[in-house]
Amino acid sequence: MTTGLHPGGQPQDPRPTGNQALPRQERVGHGAPHADNRTRSAVITARAAASFDPVGRSVATARSFVRDTLQGWGFADIVDDAVVLTSELVTNAVVHAGTSADVLCLRSDEGVRIEVADRYPEREIPLQATAVNMGSPDREGGRGLQLCAALAGRWGVDYSPTHKQVWFHLDLPDRPVGTRTAGPALPADLLPLADGRVRVAVIQIDRVGAISAWNEDAEDLFGYAAEQVIGKPLTDLAAWPHTPGTSTGIVEALQLSRWEGTYGLRGASGRVIPVYASHLRVRDTGGEPSTVCLLVRDHERAVLQTPLRASATDTTTSSEGQATDPFEVFIGSPAPDDLDGLLQRTVERARDMLDGDSAFLLLATDDETELEVRASTGLPSARQRFARVPVEAGPGRYGSARMPAVHEDLTVVPGAVPLLAGTGMRSVVTVPLKVEGRLTGSLGVAAEGPARYSNEEALRLQFAADRIALAVESARLGELERLRRGSLSFLVEASDLLAGTLDRDQTLALMAQMTVPTLATWCAVYTIADQASDPYLSYVLHEDEERIDGLKALLSKIAPPDPVPTPGARVWAAPGEAAHQAALRTSMRSLGLGEPASVTSRIGTTLATAAAVGGETVVLPLVARNRVIGMLTLGKPSDEHFRQEILELAEDLSRRAALALDNARLYSERTAISQSLQRSLLPPDLPHIDGVEVEVIYRAAGEGNEVGGDFYDLFPIRDGVYGFAIGDVCGTGPEAAAVTGLARHALRLLAREGFGGPAVLERLNSAILDEGARSRFLTLLYGELWPQEDGSAMLKVVCAGHPLPLRLRQDGTVEAAAEPQPLLGVMEDLELYEQTITLDPGDVLLCVTDGVTERREGTRMLGDDGLTDVLTTCTGLTAGAVAARVMRAVERFASDAPSDDMAILAMRVPGLQRD
């Protein structure tokens, strides 16, 4: 940067003169074509010029140049407007146009003219007769002309073959001669009212808050002699009704470097005397701090109160006489519709206004115990966004949040503003955002150099904060309302999805898919089988599918988080540290330096995977029925933080997901137990019988049931003799299955003990009746099968209340093969008999349960006749083909799923082989 300062004389154009040409066209603001001539004809009393390289740092340097120049000329009243306009125009030149910028400041008796020129004349030239579209103020660039139109008295654009120049003129405010600032002259009756003699009490408070000095005016005001109060704490006298608009206590106010406000002191008479106080913190030559307090009666506050300093942008009317909103003057018009846009523009305006290197804005949480970073400029925003610092107590507290504060050097007071730790910023001014006395946020501007700010800058920044506090709070509440509504909708949908499945794997997948990318960038679910088991990595999901394998490899190489049942999210640093080590090893390998000695892990991951896991990682316990059954882990990419609202929503989701996961576990366990018990009720593989084909088809009603009230069995009794049975217990489900197990095992045991068919069924009937209230009646077809040497088969059957077996002969005729007898489980004394049947070669014996014959479609029922018709078509088919055709006919008879158990047992004697 090159600068030149010339007091008096004609202005020297800092631009090159080799190809100088007359301006081709000029656009002048406020519709005053002759305004430029009037400005140029004024007497120039001083000028300053500087050139700036096309780098981003030049914008801050240009602001400092203009501020120092105008303050040196004594034009502090227009410094803010000049700095804002210069910042926008230089940004357009060095950042957007990509050329160097020349800044020229001209002082005249009418005001100040500032010209900013760049070397990009090829950009679009606005036509004189055409309205210029200046673009949206929400864009990153292009706001310079809009600000010129809003803030400058006159402005214009000049073009030449080598330069484009934007200039603006700021008029000096009218003020009495000989003063920098002065209040208006008022009639005597409008002056502040005071006693005949104004008394200013001077009180000095030592390090511990005790009174160490008490002057005569203090004795007159409060009625205490000095010896009565010296050594006593000021808090003994103070009736501190928290200063309106703050929640600062007197102890805190006495520790501030400077403070003004109202409180009350209790006089010797016992009455509370309202006073206006100005506090100044000082130290003596020995370094001992104390606070000097100047106090007057509250109605005489004009003696001490610092006059409000309004900048040039504080005017309530524009040059055309139209009312101007102070908020719009600071933030720009139109204001952004969204909260993030409003906050971002606020920090940019605040930075420019105070010529800072960075600015930040924090919003208070709902309970006002913490501040959350929501916008910043000049800082690593990705690292800082949504970071939180406590307000009141604890290490790293943001103690200056409730009052304006100026820190001249953060290296002297490290940790005073935790947000700026490690950023290189040394001086900072912070002011609170308050609405109706509540702390809603904090606005700060920082600079890299020390001692850049004073109480004057704090006052100006506080004015700006007051302008935007209500708008920010309104936008924040609107955002919170939208987040809460979205959270409720999200939780309702999540509950519906989780309640819609009892499959464990599907529940895990739903948990991850609901969190990514809505709540986090990646998610991992750890499960714990039992109290003695370690957490197991069960599911991993990343919003970028290509990162899932690398993320899973990274997490599998580090120890899982501890299964702590404490509710809420806790930070888990292990993934970030592992990602850092992996990135370090990969980087060193790429440089050919090998692996450092301290890195011994073999985590196969890439730099991209490390970046994806390098942000904040939190763990939420999955607690169901007072037991930790797993952990839900959520992560962000490098240097990102979670919002508190997101963590609270994730905690709600984790509670629902834990219960759903535990329900799925219980269902899986009970299903496995049920299926194991049901399989124990089914007979083992059917025995092979020489000379007889046997086929069984079994269907249990109800989802997940393998055994119901219907059952079948075929088993060897002794050599050459086989027992078979098909039965139907009243009802379905587990209760019927219990009787099924009793019947099947009793039949095998009794038959192998040598009992005949009637004796077997009579003893089974007694066993069923012994079950008492649990007993159920049972229909049963039981028989014994003797294959014969001539190729036929002899059967002895007892049909106890069961659908009669059907015999299909080779000629296609179908007939009942037994007579009906009483069912079991109803009467104690049964007289049953067995019937003998001979199956000739080619004959088929079909046995079914009533689930087959009672198959319904509306008012129609398949019935015995329908089953006979189907069997008639099965002549010449094998036993397997006969059973399959019958089942197919039953299924096609009705469109609804079967509501009753079904069993089909088909036995066929093959025909004789002919040569």
Side-chain angles (χ1 to χ4, degrees), residues 188-423:
D189 57 347
L190 296 181
L191 294 176
L193 182 64
D195 292 342
R197 174 176 177 269
V198 175
R199 291 174 174 81
V200 179
V202 180
I203 304 173
Q204 193 161 0
I205 312 297
D206 62 17
R207 177 194 292 270
V208 297
I211 300 172
S212 60
W214 184 271
N215 72 341
E216 294 181 358
D217 281 354
E219 295 182 4
D220 291 340
L221 282 174
F222 306 114
Y224 296 107
E227 57 271 14
Q228 293 179 277
V229 295
I230 289 179
K232 293 184 177 180
L234 180 63
T235 53
D236 289 354
L237 305 180
W240 184 273
H242 291 186
T243 304
T246 75
S247 55
T248 306
I250 188 170
V251 176
E252 183 177 1
L254 291 173
Q255 299 298 318
L256 298 176
S257 60
R258 188 180 295 275
W259 185 87
E260 288 186 22
T262 301
Y263 53 89
L265 287 181
R266 195 175 304 278
S269 63
R271 293 187 302 108
V272 174
I273 302 171
V275 297
Y276 187 86
S278 176
H279 296 176
L280 177 65
R281 189 79 163 159
V282 298
R283 62 187 173 94
D284 60 21
T285 56
E288 184 69 15
S290 62
T291 302
V292 177
C293 305
L294 306 181
L295 301 94
V296 296
R297 292 185 177 89
D298 188 56
H299 64 274
E300 297 173 341
R301 64 170 55 200
V303 175
L304 298 180
Q305 188 172 22
T306 301
L308 300 180
R309 178 186 179 278
S311 64
T313 59
D314 281 332
T315 55
T316 57
T317 58
S318 64
S319 58
E320 289 83 3
Q322 298 176 346
T324 303
D325 185 355
F327 167 77
E328 291 186 354
V329 171
F330 173 72
I331 204 65
S333 180
D337 295 331
D338 62 305
L339 176 61
D340 289 336
L342 175 62
L343 300 182
Q344 192 60 37
R345 190 180 295 182
T346 297
V347 295
E348 292 173 358
R349 291 288 190 269
R351 177 203 61 193
D352 294 345
M353 184 179 72
L354 296 189
D355 188 23
D357 297 310
S358 64
F360 53 90
L361 193 149
L362 302 89
L363 291 185
T365 56
D366 289 343
D367 56 6
E368 299 182 7
T369 61
E370 290 183 303
L371 294 173
E372 182 180 66
V373 180
R374 291 301 303 273
S376 64
T377 180
L379 295 173
S381 57
R383 176 171 65 89
Q384 304 291 350
R385 186 166 172 79
F386 299 126
R388 291 193 164 208
V389 290
V391 176
E392 296 294 352
R397 72 185 184 94
Y398 195 33
S400 57
R402 298 188 182 276
M403 294 290 292
V406 177
H407 298 278
E408 294 187 348
D409 195 342
L410 292 178
T411 61
V412 178
V413 192
V417 184
L419 173 65
L420 299 180
T423 62

Side-chain angles (χ1 to χ4, degrees), residues 74 77 175-183:
D77 295 312
R175 58 190 181 185
V177 177
T179 63
R180 291 177 62 90
T181 58

Side-chain angles (χ1 to χ4, degrees), residues 406-544:
V406 177
H407 298 278
E408 294 187 348
D409 195 342
L410 292 178
T411 61
V412 178
V413 192
V417 184
L419 173 65
L420 299 180
T423 62
M425 302 297 162
R426 296 187 61 181
S427 54
V428 60
V429 53
T430 62
V431 297
L433 276 69
K434 295 184 178 181
V435 175
E436 297 179 351
R438 293 186 305 105
L439 178 70
T440 61
S442 179
L443 176 63
V445 178
E448 295 178 353
R452 287 280 298 275
Y453 303 113
S454 64
N455 287 345
E456 182 180 355
E457 281 78 15
L459 186 61
R460 287 161 50 203
L461 189 61
Q462 185 67 70
F463 291 155
D466 293 341
R467 290 168 181 165
I468 58 101
L470 185 59
V472 168
E473 178 67 1
S474 177
R476 185 183 75 91
L477 293 177
E479 180 189 70
L480 284 177
E481 181 64 21
R482 289 190 297 272
L483 283 174
R484 285 169 181 156
R485 290 182 180 179
S487 299
L488 289 175
S489 300
F490 174 80
L491 291 175
V492 168
E493 182 179 359
S495 299
D496 289 343
L497 290 173
L498 292 171
T501 179
L502 287 173
D503 182 82
R504 176 183 177 276
D505 293 338
Q506 188 174 1
T507 302
L508 289 172
L510 284 174
M511 290 170 57
Q513 292 167 6
M514 284 185 292
T515 56
V516 177
T518 305
L519 304 182
T521 304
W522 62 269
C523 166
V525 183
Y526 292 84
T527 56
I528 303 175
D530 52 58
Q531 299 288 352
S533 301
D534 293 329
Y536 174 74
L537 182 61
S538 299
Y539 201 92
V540 176
L541 184 65
H542 194 283
E543 63 180 3
D544 184 355

Side-chain angles (χ1 to χ4, degrees), residues 9-52:
Q10 295 298 320
Q12 300 177 10
D13 196 334
R15 294 169 294 178
T17 59
N19 296 320
Q20 188 70 33
L22 293 175
R24 296 184 302 202
Q25 188 173 3
E26 182 178 86
R27 172 74 175 173
V28 182
H30 300 305
H34 59 282
D36 184 37
N37 295 331
R38 184 169 63 247
T39 302
R40 290 183 182 274
S41 63
V43 177
I44 304 300
T45 58
R47 70 183 296 277
S51 296
F52 302 94

